[in-house]
Amino acid sequence: MTKTLSRHLEAIKASGKGIFVPYIMAGDHPQGLDGLFETINLLENSGASAIEVGIPFSDPVADGPVIELAGQRSLARGVTLTDIIDTLKSQKSQVPLVIMTYFNPLYQYGIEKFVQDLADTSVKGLIIPDLPYEHQDFIQPYLIDTDVALVPLVSLTTGLDRQKKLIKDAQGFVYAVAVNGVTGKAGNYRDDLDGHLARLTQVADIPVLTGFGVSSQEDIERFNAVSDGVIVGSKIVKALYEGKEDEVTDFVRFASSYQK
């Protein structure tokens, strides 16, 4: 079956708009998890296509300093994956949520239980950056009869044949990693990045979204020209932590209303 996340993002793509997915860290709010849906509602009302919700973890190998610090603040508040799932069960969002987590918290929680518990939430996608394609059978069998899509990540060093393998039968979207490194490394893009993204977008049957280091209106314009939209994390997380909600709102409105 075609999953909700796929249908939702394809509809935005078909409308001629760029897809925009902001990232937030669950629990990194003055009110802890009690403020999670306040942030989700802010992003929804500003026009976000979907919202990526990060799970705090002590060894976030793909995260840059901004998101790593956000995770540490959340962990210092005692936030756990169980608490996050319970909070996500308490309310529904108007746009799909996508959980970004490392494999260890899922393993500790219990993979089958985790997937079952997502059924009572608005979570429609799952990103696990430290789970190699060759080991996705740890979780994919549990997702087959659910409405949760496992989002593949494709790096700059991934050859075309492997790209096709990674995205074959995938749903939701393809997460195209724009830098060789961690999140938040803005501006240091390889000269062949645009061509890489354009080729990946051409061979993918689902939307391709560019992430890692995307932080400006110029980035949004650039990457919408060669992919289907963008994911922005560090800029959003930093602005929210600093209490700059108006800046977040303006940025999300620009990105989500971008006409391709």
Side-chain angles (χ1 to χ4, degrees):
M1 67 175 182
T2 302
K3 303 196 178 191
T4 294
L5 184 60
S6 298
R7 293 197 304 270
H8 179 74
L9 298 183
E10 285 287 1
I12 296 172
K13 177 180 176 179
S15 74
K17 288 185 177 181
I19 297 167
F20 181 69
V21 179
Y23 169 101
I24 58 175
M25 175 63 72
D28 186 34
H29 186 281
Q31 298 173 8
L33 285 176
D34 289 340
L36 178 58
F37 272 93
E38 176 184 314
T39 304
I40 288 173
N41 291 337
L42 173 74
L43 297 172
E44 278 182 350
N45 294 335
S46 301
S49 306
I51 299 168
E52 191 178 334
V53 179
I55 306 300
F57 182 51
S58 58
D59 188 21
V61 294
D63 294 338
V66 171
I67 293 177
E68 184 175 2
L69 285 172
Q72 290 175 0
R73 291 191 294 267
S74 182
L75 290 172
R77 292 188 173 94
V79 171
T80 67
L81 180 55
T82 298
D83 297 331
I84 294 169
I85 296 298
D86 288 343
T87 302
L88 292 174
K89 287 180 179 179
S90 70
Q91 295 186 50
K92 300 295 184 182
S93 63
Q94 298 303 307
V95 299
L97 303 180
V98 180
I99 281 185
M100 202 296 284
T101 182
Y102 295 93
F103 185 71
N104 184 276
L106 300 192
Y107 184 79
Q108 297 297 326
Y109 189 97
I111 296 171
E112 186 172 10
K113 174 176 168 50
F114 172 76
V115 173
Q116 290 172 346
D117 288 349
L118 291 184
D120 297 324
T121 73
S122 296
V123 174
K124 302 299 179 184
L126 183 60
I127 302 169
I128 312 175
D130 62 344
L131 181 66
Y133 171 81
E134 286 74 15
H135 297 300
Q136 67 176 353
D137 56 345
F138 277 114
I139 191 166
Q140 189 67 273
Y142 298 111
L143 298 175
I144 291 173
D145 295 323
T146 75
D147 197 26
V148 179
L150 183 62
V151 173
L153 289 93
V154 176
S155 74
L156 276 171
T157 56
T158 305
L160 185 58
D161 288 343
R162 184 165 175 81
Q163 287 179 29
K164 292 178 180 178
K165 184 177 181 180
L166 293 176
I167 66 179
K168 184 178 183 295
D169 300 324
Q171 293 213 42
F173 63 91
V174 176
Y175 197 132
V177 179
V179 297
N180 290 324
V182 296
T183 60
K185 291 179 64 176
N188 297 316
Y189 297 124
R190 280 179 21 175
D191 293 339
D192 60 346
L193 174 59
D194 291 34
H196 163 79
L197 294 171
R199 287 189 296 273
L200 178 59
T201 302
Q202 187 174 27
V203 300
D205 293 327
I206 54 177
V208 173
L209 306 185
T210 304
F212 280 50
V214 181
S215 62
S216 67
Q217 293 186 1
E218 290 76 17
D219 289 338
I220 290 169
E221 293 169 349
R222 173 182 178 177
F223 295 130
N224 268 292
V226 289
S227 66
D228 299 307
V230 298
I231 301 165
V232 175
S234 295
K235 180 183 178 69
I236 299 291
V237 169
K238 184 174 185 291
L240 288 172
Y241 177 66
E242 294 173 349
K244 299 177 180 177
E245 285 84 2
D246 289 345
E247 179 181 312
V248 171
T249 297
D250 290 344
F251 188 78
V252 176
R253 284 176 177 164
F254 172 84
S256 59
S257 62
Y258 185 82
Q259 292 288 336
K260 294 174 69 69

